[in-house]
Amino acid sequence: MRDNLVEQIISDVMNKQTEVQTDNNTAANLAGCGLTEFIGTALGHTIGLVIANVDHQLHEVMNIDKKYRSIGILGARTGAGPHIFAADEAIKATNSEILSIELARDTEGGGGHGCLIIFGASDVSDVRRAVEVALAEIERTMGDVYGSPAGHLEFQYTARASYALNKAFGAPVGKSFGMTCASPAAIGVVVADTAAKAAVIEPVGYASPAQGTSFSNEVIFTFAGDSGAVRQAVIAARDVGKQLLATLDPAPIKSTTTPYI
């Protein structure tokens, strides 16, 4: 009887460990490397890093003001939009600043972007916290990213844009802000038009393969306005985009995590 009880307890512990490992594979993982520069990983082959004291030579070649003694680094192979919106939340929550945002031509062979985002602060704890917040947010901001072998769709919304979105897209700080993105780019054009017609919004930017993207096979449309109108525009665009992408491949189109818009 005692042996059976011990085996049951061991079995329960092992099951809980398996559940934790499964959860860590789908959300931010803040363990797994002994280097002091390493903070964690997240969806999209995302890695978060920090440099406590940037070498003065690197300061110069990166054109970073020397007052930013420490930098946080967020980089990913897939999902520039989710990462920029996640970085925006990190800026709101911490005493750090966005130094640069770059969109790499990537998606690991797909039609979109990866990204490189640099946070700056005088105190390493501030940039470390910014990267931690961004890594945790990616689970949410991946919620309205949809993919299939034929392409992908990406929709983002925030009730109040901050300096990361301003840096990347020219979003008006403090206003509601939305984004639509689709690959192939042909779908992106229709998705953008749908968003513009669905509600009264203020267009902020339009990027296509030869203008505004890293020659990715996407069209990106960004806009601001009243919170309800921006959400309505994003939702209408999402519905149309999913229908169009479904015509190119019979595989079901599923969200990466849990839709949040």
Side-chain angles (χ1 to χ4, degrees):
M1 182 70 175
R2 181 182 178 83
D3 289 344
N4 290 339
L5 180 60
V6 171
E7 289 177 3
Q8 181 63 44
I9 293 172
I10 293 174
S11 177
D12 290 343
V13 171
M14 293 298 291
N15 288 336
K16 288 180 180 179
Q17 288 179 338
T18 300
E19 291 171 3
V20 170
Q21 290 171 355
T22 300
D23 289 341
N24 285 344
N25 286 335
T26 58
N29 184 358
L30 304 182
C33 183
L35 295 173
T36 57
E37 292 86 355
F38 178 80
I39 295 179
T41 61
L43 293 166
H45 284 155
T46 301
I47 189 166
L49 305 165
V50 66
I51 300 177
N53 290 288
V54 180
D55 187 275
H56 71 279
Q57 299 173 96
L58 199 58
H59 263 122
E60 293 181 7
V61 296
M62 291 180 68
N63 294 316
I64 296 176
D65 191 317
K66 288 183 172 57
K67 71 178 181 181
Y68 301 114
R69 189 170 61 89
S70 303
I71 61 171
I73 308 162
L74 187 70
R77 298 294 310 278
T78 300
H83 295 73
I84 296 169
F85 274 74
D88 203 62
E89 296 302 315
I91 289 298
K92 296 173 190 174
T94 64
N95 186 28
S96 59
E97 296 186 37
I98 286 288
L99 302 187
S100 66
I101 297 176
E102 300 176 66
L103 304 187
R105 175 70 181 87
D106 201 337
T107 323
E108 301 184 67
H113 293 93
C115 67
L116 174 63
I117 300 174
I118 306 292
F119 299 90
S122 58
D123 192 321
V124 66
S125 63
D126 290 326
V127 288
R128 175 177 288 277
R129 181 58 184 154
V131 174
E132 289 173 349
V133 171
L135 287 172
E137 278 291 312
I138 289 168
E139 174 79 6
R140 180 183 68 86
T141 56
M142 281 282 194
D144 281 287
V145 176
Y146 303 81
S148 79
H152 66 264
L153 305 167
E154 183 180 320
F155 305 95
Q156 301 291 343
Y157 162 82
T158 181
R160 182 174 63 87
S162 190
Y163 295 103
L165 289 170
N166 177 262
K167 184 93 170 176
F169 300 119
V173 174
K175 295 194 71 171
S176 295
F177 186 73
M179 185 186 92
T180 68
C181 174
S183 174
I187 293 177
V189 176
V190 176
V191 164
D193 184 69
T194 301
K197 290 175 177 174
V200 179
I201 56 170
E202 304 166 19
V204 173
Y206 176 90
S208 59
Q211 296 180 349
T213 76
S214 300
F215 295 98
S216 63
N217 190 5
E218 298 173 296
V219 160
I220 302 170
F221 180 50
T222 55
F223 44 92
D226 175 76
S227 176
V230 171
R231 287 191 83 250
Q232 182 180 338
V234 172
I235 291 170
R238 181 179 62 187
D239 292 342
V240 169
K242 290 169 69 175
Q243 292 180 63
L244 292 175
L245 186 58
T247 66
L248 299 178
D249 193 281
I253 298 173
K254 297 182 179 179
S255 58
T256 304
T257 57
T258 302
Y260 75 95
I261 301 172

